[in-house]
Amino acid sequence: MITLEWLYVLTGLVFSAWALLSLRDRTNPKRWGNAAFWGLLAGSFFFGSHISDLANGILVLVLVALAGTGQLGRSHPATTSEKERTALAARLGNRLFVPALVIPLTAVAGTLVYTYTPLGESGLFEARRETLILLGVGVLLALALAMLWMRAPLLAPLEEGRRLMDSIGWAAILPQMLAALGAVFALAGVGSIVGDLAGTLLPRGSLFLAVLVYCTGMLLFTVIMGNAFAAFPVMAAAIGIPVLVEDYGGNVALIGAVGMLAGFCGTLLTPMAANFNIVPAVLLDLRSQYGVIRAQVGTALPLFACNVLLIYFLAFP
């Protein structure tokens, strides 16, 4: 049986390769910090499921220390020049997106075939992990296609990947960190505290205010934590389940889905979602690192208002 552990091993191998290449890169004055950071991250994928929570926590704290003390630097591996990339893009045009499209197509089509054909009874993939495993398969297929098509050097994917990841730096793992923070908040009872506070302030029988507080909480917690998945357990425990579902009999699926969308509106507005909002500004050399956020405000606020109205008018009998 192919389990999710195989995908962790594959990811760990990639991070290990980046760590070794960083160690050999004498042009980067912070190569030791880069090598340690990507090496520790590789270790978390290799051994995270087999070591204690304390050991995992220490590993995360070391990663934070490396990033927080400025030990990471941008590398400049010998790859194609800007002139060569421009010429290649002009020659291939939109066909350059073909390898990228192989990944989601493999995940979606593979999941459907595996689920709705006798292949699903073979037990080839770990139950409820089929899509994630097939996503990894799609990455390998896309890589093979790109290598055969472009006739790139063997180390080109690793060097280009390292260049991109070093440009992003610690923000590359921010989504996982923030999602874990949401779980910590939920276990610490933050949702119950927020729920008690909301119960004290909200007047009884005011459905619209309850919906507004739920959606606003999703937006604000996402702005604070940078991730709607981190905000969801808090607001679901505080208002979503006890108030909107249990007290008012709301549709669970709609309240959950649209509530997440309200959280995503917060993602558009916060620098804490660095991988979405700050990293692109850096990679595109925008004049302001908040340029992406400013461009998204006009979408986020009207969409948030629509989310409130959708839940209020459609989620309740």
Side-chain angles (χ1 to χ4, degrees):
M1 176 188 291
I2 301 175
T3 67
L4 202 58
E5 198 70 29
W6 288 97
L7 195 58
Y8 293 154
V9 171
L10 176 63
T11 307
L13 289 173
V14 174
F15 282 122
S16 297
W18 287 339
L20 292 174
L21 290 171
S22 296
L23 202 59
R24 295 177 54 222
D25 187 2
R26 297 184 181 276
T27 63
N28 182 2
K30 296 184 177 180
R31 62 191 178 103
W32 291 100
N34 285 35
F37 189 85
W38 301 125
L40 284 170
L41 201 55
S44 73
F45 279 96
F46 283 137
F47 309 114
S49 302
H50 308 287
I51 59 179
S52 67
D53 292 341
L54 177 61
N56 276 305
I58 293 173
L59 189 151
V60 169
L61 290 176
V62 175
L63 289 174
V64 171
L66 288 170
T69 56
Q71 301 304 309
L72 304 183
R74 295 184 67 167
S75 62
H76 301 281
T79 61
T80 54
S81 66
E82 183 177 349
K83 183 178 179 181
E84 290 172 324
R85 289 194 291 271
T86 302
L88 187 64
R91 179 166 61 85
L92 297 176
N94 289 334
R95 287 178 294 167
L96 279 171
F97 292 101
V98 171
L101 292 174
V102 168
I103 300 172
L105 286 175
T106 301
V108 174
T111 301
L112 292 174
V113 170
Y114 186 80
T115 303
Y116 296 105
T117 67
L119 186 63
E121 301 176 2
S122 66
L124 178 63
F125 299 135
E126 180 183 355
R128 297 187 298 279
R129 298 290 185 270
E130 300 90 346
T131 302
L132 289 173
I133 294 170
L134 286 164
L135 186 69
V137 173
V139 170
L140 294 176
L141 291 177
L143 177 61
L145 173 62
M147 292 293 287
L148 292 172
W149 184 21
M150 306 293 180
R151 293 185 173 86
L154 188 62
L155 287 179
L158 292 173
E159 290 288 25
E160 288 289 355
R162 180 169 71 95
R163 178 180 63 82
L164 179 61
M165 291 296 282
D166 284 350
S167 298
I168 298 173
W170 58 266
I173 63 171
L174 189 60
Q176 294 94 319
M177 294 283 194
L178 293 173
L181 179 62
V184 171
F185 273 29
L187 290 172
V190 175
S192 300
I193 296 171
V194 174
D196 292 341
L197 182 62
T200 303
L201 298 177
L202 284 174
R204 289 211 172 263
S206 180
L207 174 59
F208 181 78
L209 278 179
V211 172
L212 182 62
V213 170
Y214 169 66
C215 291
T216 302
M218 281 296 300
L219 184 141
L220 292 179
F221 269 98
T222 302
V223 167
I224 294 169
M225 295 189 283
N227 192 315
F229 290 97
F232 185 74
V234 175
M235 292 311 300
I239 298 175
I241 301 301
V243 178
L244 299 182
V245 174
E246 294 181 354
D247 291 351
Y248 290 104
N251 183 297
V252 178
L254 197 151
I255 289 170
V258 181
M260 282 294 292
L261 189 56
F264 295 149
C265 293
T267 303
L268 299 176
L269 300 173
T270 178
M272 286 297 291
N275 53 319
F276 292 113
N277 299 331
I278 303 301
V279 170
V282 173
L283 295 179
L284 295 172
D285 293 323
L286 299 184
R287 283 178 293 181
S288 170
Q289 65 175 339
Y290 303 114
V292 173
I293 294 175
R294 291 196 187 103
Q296 293 173 163
V297 171
T299 299
L301 297 182
L303 183 58
F304 172 77
C306 290
N307 294 333
V308 175
L309 297 176
L310 279 173
I311 293 180
Y312 179 70
F313 285 110
L314 298 181
F316 302 94

